[in-house]
Amino acid sequence: MRILVVGGGGREHALCWAISASPLCTKLFCAPGNAGIAQVAECIDIGAEDIAGQVALAQREKIDFVVVGPDAPLVAGIVDAFTAAGIKAWGPSKAAARLEGSKSFTKALCRENNIPTAAYEHFTDVAKAEAYIRAQGAPIVVKADGLAAGKGVIVAETVEQAVEAVRDILAGNRFGAAGASVVIEEFMQGEEASFFALCDGEHVLPLVGAQDHKRAFDGDKGPNTGGMGAYSPAPIFDAGMQKRTMDEIVMPTVRAMAKAGSPFKGVFYVGLMIDQKGPRLVEYNCRFGDPECQVLMMRLKSDLVPALLACVDGGLNHLDLRWSPEAALTVILATKGYPDSYPKGSEIRGLNQAAKIEGVQIFHAGTKADGNRILANGGRVLNVSAMASTVEEARARAYRAVDLIDWPEGFCRRDIAWRAVGQRS
Ligand code: AMP
Ligand code: GLY
């Protein structure tokens, strides 16, 4: 099969790495890709959100199967566009991608189907939202309804902060159309974990759990980011927790989406808050996590391609995937300044040396080649990943590799997997 992966981050590098190893793949393209992806796929400089450009590329290159990485094109309907052009594409339709693209859609679905999640209300009116916040008190969580590049969630510690967030979003137009309405939620306490499950619209194939680190700096300090590191398995997400998550959250969602005429095909990213009472849904994403995908692909021992094909064609119930019992961990190297503004174009050295460490795999997130040089070309730039029999050893290997990378303009957290390591020591 000639396969096209849409996207150009660390998640897409991990997907391309796994897909390129499949005997089913005869030729792999990635658009736009990056300098690391170029080692396993032919990169074509077309943006992930340029739907017409991506469809034209797939037609020109006679692509048999498209795998879409990021959320924005999925929410905008890229899979519907490929399907209309007669090209098989993996990922949810625009209607199914509302699970990520509209927080009020998902909250209403949870309410109708008794899926455990934070209590909430949905508002378009500032005064009504403000009255609700004052009645509930703080802490409280304000969310722009639509996609806001990971910035649309404000965990407010005071009533005043929450009111200001609502005014910014509804009256100040801070997120444009994505902020035409807001969801205001109960603040949930507990430990977060992410779980992934493939779905063909009817059947679900559970993958594994992982834990991300959303804050920029050590000790979970600093601003929220797309994710500064991840590891899998996550001790809190054990077999019992997975069963409850499947029974109480994922399966009711699958049935509700099918009943509504928008069956979900693709991967559920189930963002969870776990406490003594069990798992509650924080959010759904309709794509693999970035950087969670990187650790999942490292642990996956089976061919990924038949599983992705089955999401589109059906029959996921006949498939089984094998996972390494080892731990995988990834450390994100980001440009200093991220998640705010940062310069592009600084040179990264030492990558070859770092990649030689046993069990290490380096995925590129935001890089660009300039002849033989590798330049930083984004906020999150590299995902230095490692496998080992314990999470402690995987972490030691990853940081050994990080320390061989010569890039003064970059930074990383030094405490990835602190929960798992702390629990064991
Ligand atoms: P989201 O974009 O929905 O993943 O939200 C970003 C982060 O905000 C989550 O990973 C949580 O850490 C936090 N968050 C979102 N909703 C809640 C909630 N209801 N209670 C506590 N924390 C939340
Ligand atoms: N790692 C968080 C996300 O992919 O949304």
Side-chain angles (χ1 to χ4, degrees):
M1 296 185 102
R2 295 167 68 80
I3 301 180
L4 166 66
V5 172
V6 175
R11 165 183 50 213
E12 288 76 26
H13 190 182
L15 289 172
C16 284
W17 179 72
I19 292 169
S20 69
S22 170
L24 292 171
C25 180
T26 52
K27 170 86 189 173
L28 182 60
F29 293 87
C30 185
N34 64 39
I37 296 174
Q39 294 160 11
V40 292
E42 182 175 337
C43 296
I44 312 276
D45 194 14
I46 294 172
E49 290 170 55
D50 177 359
I51 294 183
Q54 293 280 354
V55 172
L57 166 65
Q59 285 170 326
R60 189 167 69 238
E61 294 294 346
K62 302 197 165 34
I63 298 297
D64 300 299
F65 187 43
V66 182
V67 176
V68 183
D71 41 70
L74 290 168
V75 170
I78 196 169
V79 166
D80 309 64
F82 281 120
T83 308
I87 299 161
K88 188 179 288 197
W90 178 85
S93 65
K94 182 175 181 172
R98 281 179 298 172
L99 279 178
E100 175 163 4
S102 169
K103 301 210 186 270
S104 60
F105 173 83
T106 301
K107 295 302 285 192
L109 183 137
C110 289
R111 187 173 275 171
E112 281 158 28
N113 295 280
N114 292 317
I115 293 171
T117 186
Y120 84 105
E121 289 300 332
H122 180 218
F123 298 96
T124 51
D125 182 88
V126 177
K128 286 183 184 150
E130 203 177 315
Y132 180 74
I133 290 168
R134 294 197 188 281
Q136 298 296 314
I140 193 160
V141 183
V142 177
K143 301 185 173 183
D145 190 46
L147 277 192
K151 300 202 165 103
V153 174
I154 296 96
V155 179
E157 278 159 34
T158 65
V159 163
E160 290 318 314
Q161 275 171 10
V163 168
E164 196 189 312
V166 163
R167 286 187 191 143
D168 258 14
I169 296 171
L170 289 181
N173 209 25
R174 180 157 146 209
F175 300 114
S181 67
V182 293
V183 162
I184 302 180
E185 275 185 16
E186 166 199 5
F187 174 79
M188 294 188 285
Q189 247 149 358
E191 184 173 333
E192 283 185 77
S194 359
F195 170 57
F196 299 85
L198 295 177
C199 186
D200 64 6
E202 184 185 354
H203 314 101
V204 179
L205 180 61
L207 305 181
V208 293
Q211 224 161 16
D212 184 14
H213 299 63
K214 289 220 166 90
R215 300 298 193 105
F217 308 129
D218 284 11
D220 289 334
K221 303 245 164 47
N224 261 318
T225 70
M228 292 300 291
Y231 65 104
S232 172
I236 192 168
F237 197 79
D238 58 16
M241 198 59 69
Q242 174 167 321
K243 183 174 184 328
R244 286 195 58 184
T245 302
M246 286 290 293
D247 293 348
E248 295 169 27
I249 299 177
V250 179
M251 290 315 299
T253 303
V254 172
R255 288 191 290 267
M257 293 300 286
K259 201 170 140 206
S262 42
F264 186 92
K265 300 182 174 190
V267 69
F268 285 108
Y269 170 133
V270 192
L272 297 167
M273 188 71 79
I274 298 172
D275 66 8
Q276 314 84 298
K277 283 194 245 142
R280 284 194 286 173
L281 182 71
V282 177
E283 59 163 352
Y284 273 127
N285 294 316
C286 65
R287 37 115 191 138
F288 280 110
D290 187 349
E292 292 96 325
C293 185
Q294 289 80 317
V295 289
L296 261 58
M297 291 305 117
M298 288 192 74
R299 290 189 60 214
L300 180 63
K301 292 293 151 212
S302 305
D303 189 346
L304 177 66
V305 175
L308 298 183
L309 283 168
C311 292
V312 186
D313 294 336
L316 209 47
N317 49 326
H318 301 302
L319 244 115
D320 205 11
L321 293 174
R322 284 179 303 112
W323 297 90
S324 167
E326 292 200 339
L329 178 144
T330 187
V331 177
I332 305 324
L333 291 189
T335 308
K336 283 177 186 162
Y338 173 78
D340 298 321
S341 59
Y342 49 80
K344 288 186 179 176
S346 53
E347 185 176 354
I348 303 162
R349 297 190 187 85
L351 284 172
N352 292 339
Q353 278 309 108
K356 282 186 193 141
I357 293 183
E358 194 189 347
V360 165
Q361 188 67 41
I362 300 176
F363 297 114
H364 290 219
T367 61
K368 196 171 148 181
D370 174 29
N372 285 332
R373 302 190 314 150
I374 299 289
L375 307 180
N377 192 43
R380 292 191 294 174
V381 172
L382 295 166
N383 312 147
V384 182
S385 317
M387 291 259 292
S389 55
T390 64
V391 65
E392 287 87 345
E393 182 51 27
R395 167 157 127 155
R397 286 176 170 178
Y399 282 118
R400 231 176 280 143
V402 165
D403 290 338
L404 289 173
I405 295 174
D406 175 14
W407 182 37
E409 292 82 0
F411 78 100
C412 68
R413 279 181 63 157
R414 304 292 313 192
D415 65 346
I416 299 307
W418 65 268
R419 284 178 191 277
V421 174
Q423 270 174 12
R424 287 183 189 203
S425 59

